[in-house]
Every structure is written in C-alpha cells, then in structure tokens.
Amino acid sequence: MSFWIQLWALVAITAVLFRPVCGAEEFTTRFSPSERMTRVRLAAAQESVQTLQRARRNVPVRPGFQDFRCILHAHAEDSVHTGGTRPEMLADAQTAGVRGIFLSDHFRPPRDFMDSWRLLTNGVRFIPGSEVRGFLIYPERSLMPEMQAPLPEFVSRVTAGRGLIFLSHIEERPDHPLEGLTGLEIYNRHYDAKQDFRGLLSIVMRMTNPEDAAELSDLLKQYPDELLASQVQYPAAYLEKWDSGTRTLRLTGVAANDCHHNQILLVKMIDADTVRVGTIVDKDEDMQTVSATLRPGIRRLTAGRKPGDVLVRLDFDPYFRSFRNVCTHVLATDQSELSLRQALKEGRAYVSHDWMGDPTGFDFETDGGWMGDEVPWRPGLELRAQFPIPAQFRLLCGGDVIATGYGPRMTAHVKGPGAYRVEAWLEVGGELRPWLYSNPIYVR
Ligand SMILES: [Zn+2]
Ligand SMILES: [Zn+2]
C-alpha cells in the first residue's frame, strides 16, 4: 500500500474513532435536573442506556486483578436521619453487584464505629468507618481515645498500616490541606441534591396534587435510575481541588455515595384541607405544611381518608438504586479487607455512574505502570485507556485538556511531567453526560 493510501486510511479511521458527539467537543451537559425529570427526557435517557448496553463489549480485567464495585460513604442505622439498615444494605448490594461497602457511621461517642460489621457475608465485604471532622476514615483499629487529637496526629493515627482517610464534602472545605491524606471525594451525590433546590420544590408541588402525584409515581416505576440520576452534575469544584492537589501529592479519588435510604417522600393528612410533606425520617413537626388554598388538589387527596394517613409515598433512593447511581470500582487482587484497602491506597480505582453502562474492564496504563502508579517522564511516553462501551473521552493533566476523542480505546502522549487522568462521557438522552473518572497515572 502506498504511503498516501495508508495516510488516507488512517485519516478515515481517525475520523470514525474521534467522532464528536452532538457537535460538542466541550464536554458540557445540556439539560437542568428539572428538564431531565420530564417524561420525554427520562424516556430518551432510558432508550440511550439500552442502546449503549447493546454497544457494550466484554473486555478482560487486567490479569491478576478483579474489578470490585465498592461503595464508600454509606450510612445505615447510624443517625435519626438515616432510614436504612445494614441487612437491607447487604441485600441491595447483592442486587446491584456491589462487593465492598466502606461504612461511614456518623460519629456518635461513646459508641465505637469500629464495633460494626467487619466481615465478608453473602459475597459482600463490609469495612467499618466513620464520617467525622470532614473526613471519611477507615482506620484498621479502634481510635476512640484519639478522635479529638490535633489534625496531623489524627491523620497519622488513622492512616497507620493500611488505614485510609479521604476528605469529604469538598464544597464545604475548598481550602482544606490535603497533605497526609489517602485522597478525597471527587464526586458526592448529596452535593448534587443540595444544589437542586428547584427540583425538590417541584417534586413537593407535584406530590400535593393527585394527578401529578400519580404521574410522578408512574415515572418512578418506569424510570427509577434515570429519575435519581437527573440531579447528577459534573463535579467541577471537587475535580479542581483534586487536580491541584495531585500536582505534588498522590491522592486517590473516590465517589461519595452518601446513601442513607431516607429519600422516601411522604404526604400525610392533617385534615381535609391540610397535609404535611417530608421524608420518612422527618418528625411530623419538621415536615412542610401545605394547604388547599395553595394546592386545591389536596382536597381530592384527603377525600375519604383520616388524619394521620399517608396519602402519597414515593421511594426515590433504595440502596440498590443509589449504588447503581455512583460507585467506586476498586481493582484489587482479591476481596480481602487488606487487598481492598491496599488498592485504594495505591489509587487502583475509578469512579463511575454504573446506571449508564457497566464500565467493568476499564483500564488506564502506560509502559511500565498503570492507574495509581508513578512513572518517570520521558519524551514520547504513551498513555492508553480502554472502555467496554465506546465513549467520548478526554485526557487531563492539572485541569488542562491534553487530548480528546471518541471510541473504545484511547492512545495519547504525555506533554511533560504531571498527574494524568481520564474522563469518559456518554451520550444519554440527547446530551453528553459524565460517566467515568479514572485515578491518575503520575508522570514525575
Ligand atoms: Zn448523614
Ligand atoms: Zn454522609
């Protein structure tokens, strides 16, 4: 084949592989959470997910490793605002194919959070931990006497051996130092919910009118994952903090599922003209009172019912659905507590929104190293990624976009030393939405 024919073939192949989606090279979402909650958008999202599922090819996981779907930042039986239990979490982990749960009990002295499930049961590994002082902590042993220690001492106690500590809720502490930490949350589900006040208000309004409530209930039955995910945004504030930290430090990025199974919304009758709206964990007096003067449909909801009756009940966040919404895939040699801890320490993990498509088999490597590794810089060093579903991808370093493309594989060259990470986005419901965030390869 002549050089020109070869060149033409290369251009043609590149054009197919690097096809921009929706003309959007800029990796931005298009719809607001409220827009995504409409029937037409939810149906479009579900159809896209089914199409992506058909396009998925099984790709083998790196030899010697397994891809464990894990949940970090998980609450059960640990506060009055938590609705779920550990047995429920176990059953739902099995439903969602989750194989590791790092609990994060709200700190409630004198109770020791290490006195919780620490076992492998029915294929699911539980590791106790706590959400405390702005961190998720997973020490190897009880730390009760040292929980108030000055910060540097506290961090070194937690991280002794294979102990882990991640900075949590980055939006509340953007300037917090990262030295000594295992890593940080790079996505937090609760932050998305907090930002979407309009969506919450619209749900409350819909629940106080019989026809709207029936429609919402039907949407929840037909499009459960799509509805829960409608609030998901690109976590820019989290990623900026991470990208600036990894310039000098090794920091493992994890997803904060922050599940409590408490988004079960209720409408309760006070009298024929008045109802309370709130969640299953709210006391009656803390619920929002809504009257028929504002929402005349309330009279039809209360007709034939008695005070105290639950008129509408919608369960948005059972654990299995939260788990599918976002999780941390941990690449470990086995499912032991030590191996999962070690893998997270080393950055052998990536974050993904699994409801959009199963990313198992994703890999990111270079010559002489892979995700989480430090490798020496040299000119021409090549970085490679593979995706089981062809995706719009980009390679970033220090927040700068180094390369973009489309397809089941990425090949790119480093521009110089730095922490390089990959994002993959999928076209879902007429827009590009973030699907997967790798941990970095550190080129030093
Ligand atoms: Zn909580
Ligand atoms: Zn939490």
Side-chain angles (χ1 to χ4, degrees):
M1 215 181 337
S2 83
F3 169 76
W4 289 108
I5 293 173
Q6 283 184 49
L7 182 69
W8 172 245
L10 187 67
V11 168
I13 290 165
T14 309
V16 171
L17 285 180
F18 290 73
R19 174 176 63 93
V21 176
C22 312
E25 279 280 332
E26 64 268 26
F27 293 84
T28 47
T29 54
R30 184 169 155 203
F31 300 112
S32 68
S34 303
E35 286 169 327
R36 290 189 194 126
M37 281 180 202
T38 58
R39 182 175 284 275
V40 58
R41 296 256 64 84
L42 292 167
Q46 191 173 73
E47 202 184 312
S48 300
V49 167
Q50 287 161 357
T51 305
L52 291 167
Q53 180 56 34
R54 287 192 292 274
R56 189 179 184 282
R57 298 286 171 266
N58 278 328
V59 287
V61 175
R62 171 169 292 269
F65 289 84
Q66 294 181 62
D67 185 319
F68 294 103
R69 209 172 268 128
C70 290
I71 302 298
L72 285 91
H73 202 153
H75 299 282
E77 303 169 39
D78 65 338
S79 68
V80 287
H81 70 264
T82 300
T85 63
R86 286 190 291 264
E88 182 188 335
M89 204 177 242
L90 169 61
D92 281 16
Q94 292 174 275
T95 305
V98 164
R99 298 174 69 195
I101 293 184
F102 289 74
L103 295 163
S104 45
D105 285 11
H106 290 294
F107 187 51
R108 294 165 297 160
R111 189 186 178 281
D112 187 346
F113 58 87
M114 293 303 282
D115 294 336
S116 184
W117 283 10
R118 189 173 192 179
L119 74 175
L120 176 69
T121 174
N122 294 67
V124 186
R125 169 71 62 190
F126 280 80
I127 296 171
S130 182
E131 177 175 14
V132 64
R133 297 178 70 169
F135 300 105
L136 306 178
I137 64 166
Y138 304 102
E140 284 199 295
R141 56 168 189 86
S142 173
L143 278 185
M144 289 308 278
E146 292 128 307
M147 290 301 285
Q148 307 302 327
L151 191 61
E153 193 185 325
F154 176 69
V155 170
S156 71
R157 290 292 157 88
V158 173
T159 53
R162 287 193 176 93
L164 309 169
I165 184 165
F166 301 94
L167 189 64
S168 173
H169 282 295
I170 307 304
E171 76 280 7
E172 293 170 14
R173 43 191 71 86
D175 301 319
H176 196 291
L178 296 169
E179 281 75 15
L181 306 184
T182 313
L184 69 163
E185 294 177 352
I186 59 167
Y187 171 82
N188 185 306
R189 161 76 201 144
H190 185 221
Y191 177 51
D192 278 340
K194 280 199 289 191
Q195 284 180 296
D196 185 32
F197 182 72
R198 271 184 60 182
L200 189 65
L201 193 67
S202 118
I203 285 172
V204 168
M205 293 301 274
R206 286 158 89 168
M207 287 183 71
T208 50
N209 187 57
E211 293 75 28
D212 295 343
E215 165 73 356
L216 193 56
S217 169
D218 191 55
L219 292 177
L220 190 58
K221 271 195 204 92
Q222 281 195 53
Y223 311 109
D225 291 318
E226 292 78 3
L227 201 58
L228 186 65
S230 59
Q231 290 179 317
V232 173
Q233 304 284 27
Y234 182 70
Y238 283 63
L239 296 170
E240 274 166 32
K241 173 108 181 136
W242 191 33
D243 285 334
S244 79
T246 55
R247 281 170 213 262
T248 51
L249 304 167
R250 280 175 67 175
L251 296 163
T252 302
V254 297
N257 195 278
D258 214 351
C259 50
H260 296 72
H261 193 199
N262 59 4
Q263 296 304 298
I264 304 172
L265 302 190
L266 304 176
V267 178
K268 278 166 101 175
M269 178 164 166
I270 298 176
D271 57 43
D273 286 333
T274 332
V275 294
R276 291 189 173 94
V277 186
T279 71
I280 196 157
V281 294
D282 293 331
K283 290 188 199 125
D284 278 2
E285 59 269 32
D286 296 332
M287 292 171 87
Q288 188 66 43
T289 305
V290 186
S291 86
T293 334
L294 178 70
R295 302 290 287 160
I298 284 173
R299 291 200 187 93
R300 281 178 290 122
L301 277 175
T302 57
R305 309 295 297 269
K306 59 179 190 311
D309 278 359
V310 173
L311 310 174
V312 183
R313 182 186 193 277
L314 296 176
D315 186 352
F316 284 89
D317 72 336
Y319 284 125
F320 68 85
R321 197 177 299 151
S322 299
F323 295 167
R324 275 209 297 265
N325 187 259
V326 72
C327 70
T328 306
H329 286 251
V330 179
L331 294 156
T333 49
D334 59 72
Q335 204 181 355
S336 67
E337 182 181 312
L338 278 184
S339 294
L340 293 177
R341 286 177 179 276
Q342 188 65 27
L344 281 168
K345 257 199 177 187
E346 291 174 355
R348 317 279 201 213
Y350 60 95
V351 164
S352 92
H353 298 287
D354 278 24
W355 72 276
M356 296 165 70
D358 180 4
T360 302
F362 167 74
D363 199 18
F364 179 36
E365 62 160 23
T366 183
D367 299 328
W370 61 294
M371 198 162 55
D373 279 341
E374 275 185 320
V375 296
W377 181 75
R378 61 174 171 75
L381 185 68
E382 188 180 84
L383 299 177
R384 297 175 293 272
Q386 67 175 18
F387 314 93
I389 299 171
Q392 196 82 20
F393 57 77
R394 60 178 176 179
L395 177 71
L396 298 111
C397 178
D400 296 331
V401 177
I402 304 302
T404 64
Y406 172 84
R409 265 178 290 281
M410 180 199 85
T411 305
H413 293 93
V414 304
K415 295 278 188 280
Y420 289 80
R421 63 176 184 86
V422 175
E423 289 178 2
W425 294 50
L426 294 174
E427 193 182 355
V428 168
E431 60 177 335
L432 273 183
R433 294 179 70 172
W435 173 46
L436 182 156
Y437 307 91
S438 81
N439 263 281
I441 291 175
Y442 303 87
V443 181
R444 302 298 198 204

Coordinates of all heavy atoms in Angstrom, one line a residue, residues 94-123:
Q94 N -26.2 -7.1 46.9 CA -26.3 -8.3 46.1 C -27.1 -8.0 44.8 O -26.7 -8.4 43.7 CB -26.9 -9.4 46.9 CG -26.0 -9.9 48.0 CD -26.7 -11.0 48.8 OE1 -27.4 -10.6 49.8 NE2 -26.5 -12.2 48.5
T95 N -28.1 -7.2 45.0 CA -29.0 -6.8 43.8 C -28.1 -6.0 42.8 O -28.2 -6.2 41.6 CB -30.2 -6.0 44.2 OG1 -30.9 -6.7 45.2 CG2 -31.1 -5.6 43.1
A96 N -27.3 -5.1 43.3 CA -26.6 -4.2 42.5 C -25.2 -4.7 42.1 O -24.4 -4.0 41.4 CB -26.5 -2.8 43.1
G97 N -24.8 -5.9 42.5 CA -23.5 -6.4 42.2 C -22.4 -5.7 42.9 O -21.2 -5.6 42.4
V98 N -22.7 -5.1 44.1 CA -21.7 -4.4 44.9 C -21.0 -5.4 45.7 O -21.6 -6.3 46.4 CB -22.3 -3.3 45.7 CG1 -21.4 -2.8 46.8 CG2 -22.7 -2.1 44.8
R99 N -19.6 -5.4 45.8 CA -18.9 -6.4 46.5 C -18.1 -5.8 47.7 O -17.4 -6.6 48.4 CB -18.0 -7.2 45.6 CG -19.0 -7.9 44.5 CD -18.2 -8.6 43.5 NE -17.5 -9.7 44.0 CZ -16.5 -10.3 43.3 NH1 -16.1 -9.8 42.1 NH2 -15.9 -11.4 43.8
G100 N -18.1 -4.5 47.9 CA -17.4 -3.9 49.0 C -18.2 -2.7 49.5 O -18.5 -1.9 48.7
I101 N -18.4 -2.6 50.8 CA -19.1 -1.5 51.4 C -18.2 -0.9 52.5 O -17.9 -1.6 53.5 CB -20.5 -1.8 51.9 CG1 -21.4 -2.1 50.7 CG2 -21.1 -0.6 52.7 CD1 -22.8 -2.3 51.0
F102 N -17.8 0.3 52.4 CA -17.0 1.0 53.4 C -18.0 1.9 54.1 O -18.4 3.0 53.6 CB -15.9 1.9 52.7 CG -14.8 1.1 52.2 CD1 -14.9 0.4 51.0 CD2 -13.5 1.0 52.8 CE1 -13.9 -0.4 50.4 CE2 -12.5 0.2 52.3 CZ -12.6 -0.5 51.1
L103 N -18.4 1.4 55.3 CA -19.4 2.2 56.1 C -18.9 3.5 56.6 O -17.6 3.6 56.8 CB -19.9 1.3 57.3 CG -20.6 0.0 56.9 CD1 -20.6 -0.9 58.1 CD2 -22.0 0.3 56.5
S104 N -19.7 4.5 56.8 CA -19.2 5.8 57.3 C -20.2 6.3 58.3 O -20.8 7.3 58.1 CB -19.0 6.8 56.1 OG -20.1 6.8 55.3
D105 N -20.2 5.6 59.4 CA -21.2 6.0 60.5 C -20.9 7.4 61.0 O -19.8 7.8 61.2 CB -21.0 5.1 61.7 CG -21.5 3.7 61.5 OD1 -21.9 3.3 60.4 OD2 -21.6 2.9 62.5
H106 N -22.0 8.1 61.1 CA -21.9 9.4 61.8 C -21.3 9.2 63.2 O -21.8 8.2 63.9 CB -23.3 10.1 61.9 CG -23.8 10.6 60.5 ND1 -23.2 11.6 59.8 CD2 -24.8 10.2 59.8 CE1 -23.8 11.7 58.7 NE2 -24.8 10.9 58.6
F107 N -20.4 10.0 63.6 CA -19.6 9.7 64.8 C -20.6 10.0 66.0 O -21.1 11.1 66.2 CB -18.4 10.6 64.9 CG -17.5 10.3 66.0 CD1 -17.1 9.0 66.3 CD2 -17.0 11.4 66.9 CE1 -16.2 8.8 67.4 CE2 -16.2 11.1 67.9 CZ -15.8 9.8 68.2
R108 N -20.8 9.0 66.9 CA -21.7 9.2 68.0 C -21.1 8.6 69.3 O -21.4 7.5 69.7 CB -23.0 8.4 67.7 CG -23.9 8.9 66.6 CD -24.9 7.9 66.2 NE -24.3 6.6 65.7 CZ -24.9 5.4 65.6 NH1 -26.1 5.3 66.1 NH2 -24.2 4.4 65.1
P109 N -20.1 9.3 69.8 CA -19.5 8.8 71.1 C -20.6 8.6 72.1 O -21.5 9.4 72.1 CB -18.4 9.8 71.4 CG -18.9 11.1 70.7 CD -19.6 10.6 69.5
P110 N -20.5 7.7 73.1 CA -19.3 6.8 73.2 C -19.3 5.6 72.3 O -18.5 4.7 72.4 CB -19.4 6.3 74.7 CG -20.9 6.3 74.9 CD -21.5 7.4 74.1
R111 N -20.3 5.5 71.4 CA -20.3 4.3 70.5 C -19.1 4.3 69.6 O -18.7 5.3 69.0 CB -21.6 4.3 69.6 CG -21.7 3.0 68.9 CD -22.9 3.0 67.9 NE -22.9 1.7 67.2 CZ -22.1 1.4 66.2 NH1 -21.3 2.2 65.8 NH2 -22.2 0.2 65.7
D112 N -18.4 3.1 69.5 CA -17.2 3.0 68.7 C -17.7 2.5 67.3 O -18.2 1.4 67.2 CB -16.3 2.0 69.3 CG -14.9 1.9 68.6 OD1 -14.9 2.4 67.4 OD2 -14.0 1.4 69.1
F113 N -17.4 3.3 66.3 CA -17.9 2.9 64.9 C -17.2 1.6 64.4 O -17.6 1.0 63.5 CB -17.6 4.1 64.0 CG -16.2 4.5 63.9 CD1 -15.3 3.9 63.0 CD2 -15.8 5.6 64.7 CE1 -14.0 4.4 62.9 CE2 -14.4 6.0 64.6 CZ -13.6 5.4 63.7
M114 N -16.0 1.3 65.1 CA -15.4 0.0 64.6 C -16.2 -1.2 65.1 O -15.9 -2.3 64.6 CB -13.9 0.0 65.1 CG -13.0 1.0 64.5 SD -12.9 0.9 62.7 CE -11.8 -0.4 62.5
D115 N -17.1 -1.0 66.1 CA -17.9 -2.1 66.5 C -19.1 -2.3 65.6 O -20.3 -2.1 66.0 CB -18.4 -1.9 67.9 CG -17.3 -1.9 69.0 OD1 -16.3 -2.6 68.6 OD2 -17.5 -1.3 70.0
S116 N -18.9 -2.5 64.3 CA -19.9 -2.6 63.3 C -19.6 -3.9 62.5 O -18.7 -4.6 62.8 CB -20.0 -1.4 62.5 OG -21.1 -1.5 61.6
W117 N -20.2 -4.0 61.4 CA -20.0 -5.2 60.5 C -18.6 -5.1 60.0 O -18.2 -4.1 59.3 CB -21.0 -5.3 59.4 CG -22.3 -5.8 59.8 CD1 -22.8 -6.0 61.1 CD2 -23.4 -6.1 58.9 NE1 -24.1 -6.4 61.1 CE2 -24.5 -6.5 59.8 CE3 -23.6 -6.1 57.5 CZ2 -25.7 -6.9 59.2 CZ3 -24.8 -6.5 57.0 CH2 -25.8 -7.0 57.9
R118 N -17.8 -6.1 60.2 CA -16.4 -6.2 59.7 C -16.3 -7.6 59.2 O -15.7 -8.5 59.9 CB -15.4 -5.8 60.7 CG -14.0 -5.6 60.1 CD -13.0 -5.1 61.1 NE -11.8 -4.7 60.5 CZ -10.8 -4.1 61.1 NH1 -10.8 -3.9 62.4 NH2 -9.7 -3.8 60.5
L119 N -16.8 -7.9 58.0 CA -16.9 -9.3 57.6 C -17.2 -9.4 56.1 O -17.5 -8.4 55.5 CB -18.0 -10.0 58.4 CG -19.5 -9.7 58.1 CD1 -20.4 -10.6 58.9 CD2 -19.8 -8.2 58.3
L120 N -17.0 -10.6 55.6 CA -17.5 -11.0 54.3 C -18.7 -11.8 54.4 O -18.7 -12.9 55.1 CB -16.4 -11.8 53.5 CG -16.7 -12.2 52.1 CD1 -16.8 -11.1 51.2 CD2 -15.6 -13.2 51.6
T121 N -19.8 -11.3 53.9 CA -21.1 -12.1 54.0 C -21.8 -12.1 52.7 O -22.0 -11.0 52.1 CB -21.9 -11.6 55.2 OG1 -23.2 -12.3 55.2 CG2 -22.2 -10.1 55.2
N122 N -22.3 -13.2 52.3 CA -23.0 -13.4 51.0 C -22.4 -12.6 49.9 O -23.0 -12.0 49.1 CB -24.5 -12.8 51.2 CG -25.3 -13.6 52.2 OD1 -25.0 -13.7 53.4 ND2 -26.3 -14.3 51.7
G123 N -21.0 -12.7 49.9 CA -20.3 -12.1 48.7 C -20.0 -10.7 48.9 O -19.5 -10.0 47.9

